[in-house]
Every structure is written in C-alpha cells, then in structure tokens.
Amino acid sequence: MNTPALSSAIALVFGLAVLLWAVVRYAGERPLHERVRTGAAWTLTGVALLNTYAWQSAMTRYDLLPLAASLAAGGLLAVVRGGTVRLFTEDGRAMRQDRPVTTLLWALAVPQHLLLVTLLSHGRGTAYGGLGLGSSSLLLYFGVVLSVQQTVVRRRSRGTLRALGSAASAAPPERAEFPGARSGP
C-alpha cells in the first residue's frame, strides 16, 4: 500500500473512531458546559491530516470545491442536529442529551461527507479520487460540524439559562424541560 492510500485509511479509522466517540459521549445525560475546544482540536488535526494527504497525492485547488460543498452540507445537517438535542434542567443545572434522531443524524454524517466528496470530485487531482480526499478530510469535517452543533445548542439554551438565573429565588423544580424544547426521549 502506498503512502496516500495509507494516509487515507488511517484518517478513515480516526474519523470513524471520532464518530463512535461522539455518539457514545452524547447519548447519556450530560451537563451543558460544552466548549468549542473539542471541535477546534478536531478541526486542527483534520487540517494536518488533509495537508499530509494533499502533499502526498498532488491535490489541486479544484479538490477543495467538493470539500467546501461537503462542509456546507454538513454544517446545515449540524444545525438540524443541534435542534434535536434535548435540553433540560436537573437540580438547577442545565443538561443536554442526544435523542435517537440526533444519533441517526450523526450516523448519516460520515456517508454524507464521503459520498458528496466522492461524487463531486470525479477523481480530479487526486490519485485515489474522492474517497481519499473524503477520508483524509473526515476529522476536519467532524471538527467543523461539531463546532456548529455546539453553537446551535448553546444559543438554544442561552435564554433559558438567563431565565433560570432570574428565577433562582423561586424554588425550581427538580427536573424541568427548557421552554421550547421538545419533550420525550
């Protein structure tokens, strides 16, 4: 196996491990204190992997167009996914939990990215077509879409957290859904 193909395979394994991590991490109830650092770390790691692939496979600037299209589509999917996260309070703390539909949307993220990059690239400029570009940019993709999703969840919760702070003198219920949040699992 030559170097660009090995880089793509390693990047794909890392990307799938990150997907598994995200699904397992967010399936349970968690305090709502997410920071953008995780998304930023994945983005920077993804840029480094993509740079390695680009250097080894003689990528052209035209290869960036399918990648940009996939990042835009992934960003839209992340906005939808951020809207499906369950927000609630427990003992006065803001909490979050992914719903089954959120997990399904995470599972669609990998095929969406790989298929869009593969279909749009038509093998231009890379020795292995879109799959090499798609797998090499998977961590970059996850970093961007996770940052978008976290931003959506934080913005959804911002008004509610202010309302909780002003209503702290009243005895808050042990567990309450955020206003406007969908109820149920």
Side-chain angles (χ1 to χ4, degrees):
M1 185 181 276
N2 62 22
T3 309
L6 181 61
S7 293
S8 289
I10 290 169
L12 184 60
V13 168
F14 277 127
L16 293 175
V18 165
L19 174 64
L20 180 64
W21 173 85
V23 168
V24 170
R25 176 178 169 98
Y26 295 114
E29 296 178 356
R30 300 183 48 79
L32 181 66
H33 66 294
E34 296 298 321
R35 297 185 184 108
V36 181
R37 285 189 279 184
T38 304
W42 288 354
T43 301
L44 292 174
T45 304
V47 167
L49 285 171
L50 183 60
N51 186 45
T52 300
Y53 177 79
W55 180 72
Q56 294 171 346
S57 68
M59 241 174 76
T60 68
R61 66 177 176 244
Y62 298 108
D63 291 316
L64 297 178
L65 296 175
L67 179 58
S70 180
L71 289 173
L76 290 174
L77 189 62
V79 168
V80 172
R81 201 172 44 242
T84 66
V85 174
R86 179 177 166 236
L87 301 174
F88 60 99
T89 60
E90 186 172 273
D91 298 326
R93 289 180 35 184
M95 303 286 285
R96 62 163 286 149
Q97 180 181 22
D98 282 3
R99 296 184 175 168
V101 69
T102 313
T103 304
L104 176 65
L105 290 171
W106 265 116
L108 291 175
V110 173
Q112 175 266 310
H113 175 68
L114 294 177
L115 285 173
L116 195 56
V117 170
T118 301
L119 293 174
L120 293 179
S121 71
H122 304 293
R124 282 192 312 256
T126 60
Y128 302 99
L131 187 59
L133 175 61
S135 61
S136 294
S137 60
L138 201 52
L139 283 179
L140 168 64
Y141 173 84
F142 279 139
V144 169
V145 300
L146 179 64
S147 296
V148 170
Q149 179 179 331
Q150 288 174 336
T151 301
V152 169
V153 170
R154 273 195 317 276
R155 289 192 181 201
R156 280 181 55 212
S157 68
R158 189 173 291 151
T160 303
L161 292 175
R162 273 184 276 205
L164 283 174
S166 64
S169 59
E174 290 289 318
R175 186 177 184 109
E177 293 287 328
F178 279 16
R182 297 178 195 112
S183 61

